[in-house]
Amino acid sequence: MYFLQHVELQVPSPKQDEVLLKMEATSINPFDLRIQKGIVWPFLPRKFPHIPGIDAAGEVFEVGSGVKNFKAGDKVVAVLFNICGGGLAEFAVAKENLTVSRPPEVTAFQGAALPIAGLAAHECLLRTPGFNYEKTGQQLNLLITAASGGVGQYAVQLAKLGNAHVTATCGARNLDLVKSLGADEVLDYKTPDGAALKSPSGRKYDAVIHCATGFPWSTFKPNLSTNGKVFDITPTPSVFMTYALQKLTFSKKQLVPLLMTPKKEKLDFLLNFVKEGKIKAVIDSIHPLSKAEEAWAKSIDGHATGKIIVEP
């Protein structure tokens, strides 16, 4: 495990096709915690010091050679997939092809909350056979676990923009919140039906966006429709093993590890939903960069409602 500490570094310089951002906000994702725990080593971090933080909202401060679509002063949202990070800083470098313009209707906090969580939810829906945002075709039955968390909150809202009936699980204190996001049925995960993931109306799920931990495949399987899929957004090695075995045995019901490559076009698509008021970020708390360790600890605790934001 790696440890967090505050240090002073030189302001990075944007290289070709990069923009330097004066950070306004970032948010913490489970992937950041996986990097800290060493779960994705030796792939990441590839060099030290590593600055955590993948989501970014800020103002373009400087552009590198070859940048055509941005100039100093532009407000943007970006995904920071650079070798050394990172959003938990006053300045950060972003690739132009992972940076989108932020409309004036979208605050920095709303922008910073969106990228990884929103894209993960969106990707699960795009991989769900029959789902569409035009609300055409047969209505699908979806289950979203940990629906009050960072990804879950977006999954509920996006699913309800499409042709889906949504059953959601969360803690008792967030039942009303998840209903307000549009869920048709909400289960307290600590109740017997919640622990068993049973739909109150007896529905079988065509897809599950699994944002929680601790549920074995045996709990999902009896609740799925004939070709039901479970998308695990934080897959463990056992999930990959189960998926491989199911592919080998041609199982119709499948546990699918979510592996996602962020795309600029998809981020812009979601940001337009935020601009139009069709989706919003539920923000758990906002922390100054000087107290980033408090935000980190809150994220590790695993019971945040929505997104945890850090601002310089």
Side-chain angles (χ1 to χ4, degrees), residues 153-196:
Q153 56 151 335
Y154 287 118
V156 171
Q157 295 176 80
L158 290 169
K160 291 308 298 178
L161 290 177
N163 57 325
H165 176 281
V166 172
T167 304
T169 70
C170 63
R173 66 188 175 94
N174 289 318
L175 292 173
D176 288 340
L177 168 66
V178 173
K179 288 177 184 176
S180 74
L181 295 176
D184 299 287
E185 303 174 332
V186 187
L187 293 165
D188 176 354
Y189 74 93
K190 290 186 177 180
T191 63
D193 281 351

mmCIF file of all heavy atoms in Angstrom, residues 153-196:
data_model
loop_
_atom_site.group_PDB
_atom_site.id
_atom_site.type_symbol
_atom_site.label_atom_id
_atom_site.label_comp_id
_atom_site.label_asym_id
_atom_site.label_seq_id
_atom_site.Cartn_x
_atom_site.Cartn_y
_atom_site.Cartn_z
ATOM 1 N N GLN A 153 -25.792 6.254 -8.567
ATOM 2 C CA GLN A 153 -26.684 7.407 -8.745
ATOM 3 C C GLN A 153 -26.850 7.755 -10.219
ATOM 4 O O GLN A 153 -27.951 8.075 -10.675
ATOM 5 C CB GLN A 153 -26.128 8.614 -7.992
ATOM 6 C CG GLN A 153 -24.698 8.977 -8.389
ATOM 7 C CD GLN A 153 -24.382 10.441 -8.233
ATOM 8 O OE1 GLN A 153 -25.255 11.293 -8.262
ATOM 9 N NE2 GLN A 153 -23.103 10.737 -8.065
ATOM 10 N N TYR A 154 -25.758 7.682 -10.999
ATOM 11 C CA TYR A 154 -25.863 7.954 -12.435
ATOM 12 C C TYR A 154 -26.581 6.825 -13.160
ATOM 13 O O TYR A 154 -27.352 7.064 -14.100
ATOM 14 C CB TYR A 154 -24.477 8.151 -13.049
ATOM 15 C CG TYR A 154 -23.824 9.469 -12.694
ATOM 16 C CD1 TYR A 154 -22.634 9.513 -11.991
ATOM 17 C CD2 TYR A 154 -24.400 10.679 -13.076
ATOM 18 C CE1 TYR A 154 -22.025 10.721 -11.668
ATOM 19 C CE2 TYR A 154 -23.808 11.890 -12.756
ATOM 20 C CZ TYR A 154 -22.620 11.910 -12.058
ATOM 21 O OH TYR A 154 -22.020 13.104 -11.740
ATOM 22 N N ALA A 155 -26.325 5.587 -12.740
ATOM 23 C CA ALA A 155 -26.953 4.440 -13.396
ATOM 24 C C ALA A 155 -28.470 4.519 -13.302
ATOM 25 O O ALA A 155 -29.181 4.259 -14.281
ATOM 26 C CB ALA A 155 -26.444 3.137 -12.777
ATOM 27 N N VAL A 156 -28.983 4.893 -12.126
ATOM 28 C CA VAL A 156 -30.431 5.021 -11.956
ATOM 29 C C VAL A 156 -30.976 6.091 -12.901
ATOM 30 O O VAL A 156 -31.952 5.872 -13.635
ATOM 31 C CB VAL A 156 -30.790 5.371 -10.494
ATOM 32 C CG1 VAL A 156 -32.275 5.724 -10.378
ATOM 33 C CG2 VAL A 156 -30.442 4.215 -9.568
ATOM 34 N N GLN A 157 -30.355 7.253 -12.885
ATOM 35 C CA GLN A 157 -30.858 8.366 -13.691
ATOM 36 C C GLN A 157 -30.780 8.082 -15.189
ATOM 37 O O GLN A 157 -31.722 8.360 -15.941
ATOM 38 C CB GLN A 157 -30.071 9.639 -13.367
ATOM 39 C CG GLN A 157 -30.264 10.124 -11.939
ATOM 40 C CD GLN A 157 -29.391 11.329 -11.632
ATOM 41 O OE1 GLN A 157 -29.717 12.470 -11.988
ATOM 42 N NE2 GLN A 157 -28.263 11.092 -10.975
ATOM 43 N N LEU A 158 -29.661 7.520 -15.632
ATOM 44 C CA LEU A 158 -29.505 7.224 -17.049
ATOM 45 C C LEU A 158 -30.455 6.119 -17.495
ATOM 46 O O LEU A 158 -31.041 6.198 -18.583
ATOM 47 C CB LEU A 158 -28.058 6.821 -17.340
ATOM 48 C CG LEU A 158 -27.023 7.946 -17.242
ATOM 49 C CD1 LEU A 158 -25.608 7.372 -17.293
ATOM 50 C CD2 LEU A 158 -27.221 8.968 -18.347
ATOM 51 N N ALA A 159 -30.626 5.100 -16.659
ATOM 52 C CA ALA A 159 -31.535 4.007 -17.016
ATOM 53 C C ALA A 159 -32.959 4.513 -17.200
ATOM 54 O O ALA A 159 -33.682 4.074 -18.099
ATOM 55 C CB ALA A 159 -31.492 2.916 -15.949
ATOM 56 N N LYS A 160 -33.361 5.459 -16.351
ATOM 57 C CA LYS A 160 -34.726 5.985 -16.444
ATOM 58 C C LYS A 160 -34.903 6.944 -17.617
ATOM 59 O O LYS A 160 -36.029 7.269 -17.986
ATOM 60 C CB LYS A 160 -35.121 6.666 -15.129
ATOM 61 C CG LYS A 160 -35.304 5.699 -13.956
ATOM 62 C CD LYS A 160 -36.244 4.542 -14.293
ATOM 63 C CE LYS A 160 -37.651 5.009 -14.631
ATOM 64 N NZ LYS A 160 -38.526 3.846 -15.008
ATOM 65 N N LEU A 161 -33.801 7.399 -18.213
ATOM 66 C CA LEU A 161 -33.911 8.164 -19.459
ATOM 67 C C LEU A 161 -34.177 7.235 -20.639
ATOM 68 O O LEU A 161 -34.535 7.695 -21.723
ATOM 69 C CB LEU A 161 -32.625 8.965 -19.716
ATOM 70 C CG LEU A 161 -32.351 10.137 -18.774
ATOM 71 C CD1 LEU A 161 -31.010 10.784 -19.123
ATOM 72 C CD2 LEU A 161 -33.464 11.173 -18.824
ATOM 73 N N GLY A 162 -33.974 5.933 -20.417
ATOM 74 C CA GLY A 162 -34.192 4.956 -21.466
ATOM 75 C C GLY A 162 -35.365 4.039 -21.168
ATOM 76 O O GLY A 162 -36.226 4.351 -20.333
ATOM 77 N N ASN A 163 -35.373 2.900 -21.825
ATOM 78 C CA ASN A 163 -36.511 1.972 -21.748
ATOM 79 C C ASN A 163 -36.303 0.947 -20.648
ATOM 80 O O ASN A 163 -36.230 -0.253 -20.893
ATOM 81 C CB ASN A 163 -36.703 1.271 -23.096
ATOM 82 C CG ASN A 163 -35.446 0.519 -23.561
ATOM 83 O OD1 ASN A 163 -34.335 0.960 -23.313
ATOM 84 N ND2 ASN A 163 -35.634 -0.607 -24.230
ATOM 85 N N ALA A 164 -36.209 1.430 -19.409
ATOM 86 C CA ALA A 164 -35.900 0.508 -18.318
ATOM 87 C C ALA A 164 -36.793 0.729 -17.108
ATOM 88 O O ALA A 164 -37.123 1.864 -16.753
ATOM 89 C CB ALA A 164 -34.437 0.659 -17.901
ATOM 90 N N HIS A 165 -37.166 -0.384 -16.486
ATOM 91 C CA HIS A 165 -37.756 -0.390 -15.147
ATOM 92 C C HIS A 165 -36.600 -0.656 -14.201
ATOM 93 O O HIS A 165 -35.824 -1.595 -14.393
ATOM 94 C CB HIS A 165 -38.817 -1.489 -15.028
ATOM 95 C CG HIS A 165 -39.411 -1.618 -13.648
ATOM 96 N ND1 HIS A 165 -38.750 -2.273 -12.615
ATOM 97 C CD2 HIS A 165 -40.603 -1.196 -13.132
ATOM 98 C CE1 HIS A 165 -39.509 -2.238 -11.532
ATOM 99 N NE2 HIS A 165 -40.632 -1.588 -11.821
ATOM 100 N N VAL A 166 -36.452 0.171 -13.168
ATOM 101 C CA VAL A 166 -35.273 0.095 -12.306
ATOM 102 C C VAL A 166 -35.639 -0.346 -10.896
ATOM 103 O O VAL A 166 -36.470 0.277 -10.226
ATOM 104 C CB VAL A 166 -34.547 1.455 -12.241
ATOM 105 C CG1 VAL A 166 -33.430 1.420 -11.190
ATOM 106 C CG2 VAL A 166 -33.968 1.802 -13.607
ATOM 107 N N THR A 167 -35.004 -1.433 -10.463
ATOM 108 C CA THR A 167 -34.995 -1.843 -9.062
ATOM 109 C C THR A 167 -33.623 -1.476 -8.517
ATOM 110 O O THR A 167 -32.609 -1.714 -9.184
ATOM 111 C CB THR A 167 -35.233 -3.351 -8.907
ATOM 112 O OG1 THR A 167 -36.468 -3.703 -9.549
ATOM 113 C CG2 THR A 167 -35.295 -3.754 -7.439
ATOM 114 N N ALA A 168 -33.574 -0.898 -7.340
ATOM 115 C CA ALA A 168 -32.302 -0.422 -6.796
ATOM 116 C C ALA A 168 -32.142 -0.852 -5.351
ATOM 117 O O ALA A 168 -33.132 -1.003 -4.627
ATOM 118 C CB ALA A 168 -32.221 1.102 -6.903
ATOM 119 N N THR A 169 -30.903 -1.037 -4.927
ATOM 120 C CA THR A 169 -30.615 -1.305 -3.523
ATOM 121 C C THR A 169 -29.748 -0.188 -2.956
ATOM 122 O O THR A 169 -28.942 0.415 -3.664
ATOM 123 C CB THR A 169 -29.876 -2.648 -3.320
ATOM 124 O OG1 THR A 169 -28.534 -2.540 -3.834
ATOM 125 C CG2 THR A 169 -30.604 -3.783 -4.010
ATOM 126 N N CYS A 170 -29.920 0.075 -1.666
ATOM 127 C CA CYS A 170 -29.118 1.070 -0.958
ATOM 128 C C CYS A 170 -29.376 0.888 0.537
ATOM 129 O O CYS A 170 -30.167 0.035 0.934
ATOM 130 C CB CYS A 170 -29.460 2.496 -1.404
ATOM 131 S SG CYS A 170 -31.153 2.995 -1.038
ATOM 132 N N GLY A 171 -28.712 1.695 1.356
ATOM 133 C CA GLY A 171 -28.962 1.669 2.783
ATOM 134 C C GLY A 171 -30.264 2.369 3.121
ATOM 135 O O GLY A 171 -30.780 3.184 2.337
ATOM 136 N N ALA A 172 -30.801 2.078 4.290
ATOM 137 C CA ALA A 172 -32.105 2.616 4.691
ATOM 138 C C ALA A 172 -32.139 4.140 4.648
ATOM 139 O O ALA A 172 -33.152 4.729 4.268
ATOM 140 C CB ALA A 172 -32.456 2.120 6.091
ATOM 141 N N ARG A 173 -31.045 4.797 5.012
ATOM 142 C CA ARG A 173 -31.047 6.263 5.070
ATOM 143 C C ARG A 173 -31.144 6.915 3.696
ATOM 144 O O ARG A 173 -31.462 8.104 3.598
ATOM 145 C CB ARG A 173 -29.790 6.764 5.783
ATOM 146 C CG ARG A 173 -28.485 6.493 5.064
ATOM 147 C CD ARG A 173 -27.277 6.852 5.925
ATOM 148 N NE ARG A 173 -26.017 6.496 5.293
ATOM 149 C CZ ARG A 173 -25.286 7.324 4.554
ATOM 150 N NH1 ARG A 173 -25.691 8.575 4.366
ATOM 151 N NH2 ARG A 173 -24.142 6.928 4.023
ATOM 152 N N ASN A 174 -30.898 6.134 2.632
ATOM 153 C CA ASN A 174 -30.898 6.710 1.282
ATOM 154 C C ASN A 174 -32.073 6.247 0.414
ATOM 155 O O ASN A 174 -32.094 6.513 -0.787
ATOM 156 C CB ASN A 174 -29.585 6.381 0.572
ATOM 157 C CG ASN A 174 -28.417 7.145 1.159
ATOM 158 O OD1 ASN A 174 -28.526 8.333 1.460
ATOM 159 N ND2 ASN A 174 -27.289 6.463 1.331
ATOM 160 N N LEU A 175 -33.039 5.566 1.020
ATOM 161 C CA LEU A 175 -34.168 5.062 0.237
ATOM 162 C C LEU A 175 -34.900 6.183 -0.488
ATOM 163 O O LEU A 175 -35.208 6.077 -1.685
ATOM 164 C CB LEU A 175 -35.138 4.292 1.142
ATOM 165 C CG LEU A 175 -34.623 2.975 1.728
ATOM 166 C CD1 LEU A 175 -35.625 2.415 2.741
ATOM 167 C CD2 LEU A 175 -34.361 1.953 0.626
ATOM 168 N N ASP A 176 -35.199 7.262 0.221
ATOM 169 C CA ASP A 176 -35.940 8.369 -0.398
ATOM 170 C C ASP A 176 -35.117 9.043 -1.488
ATOM 171 O O ASP A 176 -35.661 9.461 -2.522
ATOM 172 C CB ASP A 176 -36.354 9.393 0.663
ATOM 173 C CG ASP A 176 -37.462 8.881 1.574
ATOM 174 O OD1 ASP A 176 -38.158 7.926 1.180
ATOM 175 O OD2 ASP A 176 -37.624 9.430 2.684
ATOM 176 N N LEU A 177 -33.818 9.176 -1.267
ATOM 177 C CA LEU A 177 -32.950 9.788 -2.275
ATOM 178 C C LEU A 177 -32.983 8.991 -3.573
ATOM 179 O O LEU A 177 -33.168 9.562 -4.659
ATOM 180 C CB LEU A 177 -31.513 9.865 -1.764
ATOM 181 C CG LEU A 177 -30.454 10.212 -2.816
ATOM 182 C CD1 LEU A 177 -30.653 11.630 -3.330
ATOM 183 C CD2 LEU A 177 -29.055 10.008 -2.281
ATOM 184 N N VAL A 178 -32.827 7.683 -3.473
ATOM 185 C CA VAL A 178 -32.783 6.855 -4.669
ATOM 186 C C VAL A 178 -34.137 6.867 -5.382
ATOM 187 O O VAL A 178 -34.203 6.872 -6.616
ATOM 188 C CB VAL A 178 -32.330 5.424 -4.319
ATOM 189 C CG1 VAL A 178 -32.437 4.494 -5.523
ATOM 190 C CG2 VAL A 178 -30.891 5.451 -3.794
ATOM 191 N N LYS A 179 -35.228 6.912 -4.620
ATOM 192 C CA LYS A 179 -36.548 7.062 -5.250
ATOM 193 C C LYS A 179 -36.632 8.374 -6.004
ATOM 194 O O LYS A 179 -37.183 8.452 -7.109
ATOM 195 C CB LYS A 179 -37.643 6.999 -4.183
ATOM 196 C CG LYS A 179 -37.881 5.616 -3.593
ATOM 197 C CD LYS A 179 -38.938 5.672 -2.489
ATOM 198 C CE LYS A 179 -39.111 4.314 -1.821
ATOM 199 N NZ LYS A 179 -40.059 4.361 -0.681
ATOM 200 N N SER A 180 -36.076 9.440 -5.418
ATOM 201 C CA SER A 180 -36.131 10.753 -6.062
ATOM 202 C C SER A 180 -35.315 10.795 -7.352
ATOM 203 O O SER A 180 -35.572 11.624 -8.232
ATOM 204 C CB SER A 180 -35.629 11.845 -5.106
ATOM 205 O OG SER A 180 -34.213 11.814 -4.961
ATOM 206 N N LEU A 181 -34.322 9.900 -7.487
ATOM 207 C CA LEU A 181 -33.528 9.832 -8.716
ATOM 208 C C LEU A 181 -34.272 9.099 -9.827
ATOM 209 O O LEU A 181 -33.831 9.105 -10.974
ATOM 210 C CB LEU A 181 -32.190 9.134 -8.441
ATOM 211 C CG LEU A 181 -31.234 9.855 -7.478
ATOM 212 C CD1 LEU A 181 -29.991 9.002 -7.224
ATOM 213 C CD2 LEU A 181 -30.845 11.226 -8.009
ATOM 214 N N GLY A 182 -35.383 8.448 -9.471
ATOM 215 C CA GLY A 182 -36.219 7.820 -10.487
ATOM 216 C C GLY A 182 -36.422 6.329 -10.353
ATOM 217 O O GLY A 182 -37.162 5.740 -11.152
ATOM 218 N N ALA A 183 -35.790 5.680 -9.383
ATOM 219 C CA ALA A 183 -35.934 4.231 -9.249
ATOM 220 C C ALA A 183 -37.393 3.846 -9.020
ATOM 221 O O ALA A 183 -38.110 4.500 -8.263
ATOM 222 C CB ALA A 183 -35.070 3.713 -8.099
ATOM 223 N N ASP A 184 -37.835 2.780 -9.682
ATOM 224 C CA ASP A 184 -39.223 2.322 -9.551
ATOM 225 C C ASP A 184 -39.434 1.519 -8.277
ATOM 226 O O ASP A 184 -40.503 1.564 -7.676
ATOM 227 C CB ASP A 184 -39.589 1.463 -10.766
ATOM 228 C CG ASP A 184 -39.484 2.243 -12.070
ATOM 229 O OD1 ASP A 184 -40.350 3.092 -12.322
ATOM 230 O OD2 ASP A 184 -38.513 2.011 -12.815
ATOM 231 N N GLU A 185 -38.409 0.756 -7.870
ATOM 232 C CA GLU A 185 -38.454 -0.051 -6.646
ATOM 233 C C GLU A 185 -37.116 0.132 -5.935
ATOM 234 O O GLU A 185 -36.069 0.110 -6.574
ATOM 235 C CB GLU A 185 -38.639 -1.537 -6.965
ATOM 236 C CG GLU A 185 -39.868 -1.860 -7.794
ATOM 237 C CD GLU A 185 -39.929 -3.329 -8.199
ATOM 238 O OE1 GLU A 185 -38.866 -3.979 -8.330
ATOM 239 O OE2 GLU A 185 -41.052 -3.826 -8.386
ATOM 240 N N VAL A 186 -37.175 0.301 -4.622
ATOM 241 C CA VAL A 186 -35.940 0.480 -3.862
ATOM 242 C C VAL A 186 -35.942 -0.478 -2.677
ATOM 243 O O VAL A 186 -36.910 -0.551 -1.919
ATOM 244 C CB VAL A 186 -35.768 1.929 -3.373
ATOM 245 C CG1 VAL A 186 -34.389 2.108 -2.738
ATOM 246 C CG2 VAL A 186 -35.942 2.922 -4.512
ATOM 247 N N LEU A 187 -34.830 -1.207 -2.523
ATOM 248 C CA LEU A 187 -34.687 -2.188 -1.453
ATOM 249 C C LEU A 187 -33.590 -1.757 -0.488
ATOM 250 O O LEU A 187 -32.516 -1.313 -0.907
ATOM 251 C CB LEU A 187 -34.303 -3.551 -2.038
ATOM 252 C CG LEU A 187 -35.339 -4.278 -2.898
ATOM 253 C CD1 LEU A 187 -34.654 -5.398 -3.675
ATOM 254 C CD2 LEU A 187 -36.439 -4.845 -2.019
ATOM 255 N N ASP A 188 -33.868 -1.893 0.794
ATOM 256 C CA ASP A 188 -32.827 -1.751 1.818
ATOM 257 C C ASP A 188 -31.998 -3.025 1.772
ATOM 258 O O ASP A 188 -32.515 -4.129 1.991
ATOM 259 C CB ASP A 188 -33.487 -1.569 3.185
ATOM 260 C CG ASP A 188 -32.484 -1.507 4.331
ATOM 261 O OD1 ASP A 188 -31.277 -1.712 4.102
ATOM 262 O OD2 ASP A 188 -32.925 -1.269 5.473
ATOM 263 N N TYR A 189 -30.705 -2.885 1.478
ATOM 264 C CA TYR A 189 -29.877 -4.076 1.277
ATOM 265 C C TYR A 189 -29.708 -4.922 2.538
ATOM 266 O O TYR A 189 -29.264 -6.079 2.464
ATOM 267 C CB TYR A 189 -28.516 -3.698 0.697
ATOM 268 C CG TYR A 189 -27.555 -3.040 1.681
ATOM 269 C CD1 TYR A 189 -26.628 -3.796 2.392
ATOM 270 C CD2 TYR A 189 -27.559 -1.661 1.880
ATOM 271 C CE1 TYR A 189 -25.746 -3.215 3.274
ATOM 272 C CE2 TYR A 189 -26.681 -1.063 2.765
ATOM 273 C CZ TYR A 189 -25.768 -1.843 3.458
ATOM 274 O OH TYR A 189 -24.898 -1.238 4.338
ATOM 275 N N LYS A 190 -30.078 -4.379 3.698
ATOM 276 C CA LYS A 190 -29.951 -5.132 4.946
ATOM 277 C C LYS A 190 -31.193 -5.957 5.280
ATOM 278 O O LYS A 190 -31.180 -6.732 6.227
ATOM 279 C CB LYS A 190 -29.631 -4.182 6.099
ATOM 280 C CG LYS A 190 -28.221 -3.603 6.028
ATOM 281 C CD LYS A 190 -27.890 -2.789 7.267
ATOM 282 C CE LYS A 190 -26.450 -2.279 7.220
ATOM 283 N NZ LYS A 190 -26.106 -1.483 8.429
ATOM 284 N N THR A 191 -32.267 -5.793 4.524
ATOM 285 C CA THR A 191 -33.466 -6.600 4.739
ATOM 286 C C THR A 191 -33.306 -7.934 4.027
ATOM 287 O O THR A 191 -32.458 -8.078 3.140
ATOM 288 C CB THR A 191 -34.712 -5.890 4.192
ATOM 289 O OG1 THR A 191 -34.574 -5.743 2.765
ATOM 290 C CG2 THR A 191 -34.886 -4.518 4.837
ATOM 291 N N PRO A 192 -34.107 -8.951 4.374
ATOM 292 C CA PRO A 192 -33.985 -10.256 3.699
ATOM 293 C C PRO A 192 -34.141 -10.177 2.182
ATOM 294 O O PRO A 192 -33.354 -10.774 1.444
ATOM 295 C CB PRO A 192 -35.110 -11.086 4.345
ATOM 296 C CG PRO A 192 -35.258 -10.487 5.718
ATOM 297 C CD PRO A 192 -35.033 -9.011 5.536
ATOM 298 N N ASP A 193 -35.164 -9.433 1.708
ATOM 299 C CA ASP A 193 -35.345 -9.310 0.262
ATOM 300 C C ASP A 193 -34.207 -8.529 -0.374
ATOM 301 O O ASP A 193 -33.769 -8.834 -1.498
ATOM 302 C CB ASP A 193 -36.677 -8.620 -0.054
ATOM 303 C CG ASP A 193 -37.861 -9.577 0.053
ATOM 304 O OD1 ASP A 193 -37.630 -10.796 0.203
ATOM 305 O OD2 ASP A 193 -39.005 -9.093 -0.008
ATOM 306 N N GLY A 194 -33.716 -7.509 0.334
ATOM 307 C CA GLY A 194 -32.599 -6.741 -0.184
ATOM 308 C C GLY A 194 -31.338 -7.582 -0.292
ATOM 309 O O GLY A 194 -30.610 -7.515 -1.285
ATOM 310 N N ALA A 195 -31.070 -8.388 0.716
ATOM 311 C CA ALA A 195 -29.900 -9.264 0.703
ATOM 312 C C ALA A 195 -30.003 -10.324 -0.389
ATOM 313 O O ALA A 195 -28.996 -10.756 -0.953
ATOM 314 C CB ALA A 195 -29.731 -9.932 2.061
ATOM 315 N N ALA A 196 -31.245 -10.728 -0.694
ATOM 316 C CA ALA A 196 -31.479 -11.731 -1.738
ATOM 317 C C ALA A 196 -31.644 -11.101 -3.115
ATOM 318 O O ALA A 196 -31.764 -11.813 -4.117
ATOM 319 C CB ALA A 196 -32.714 -12.563 -1.401
#
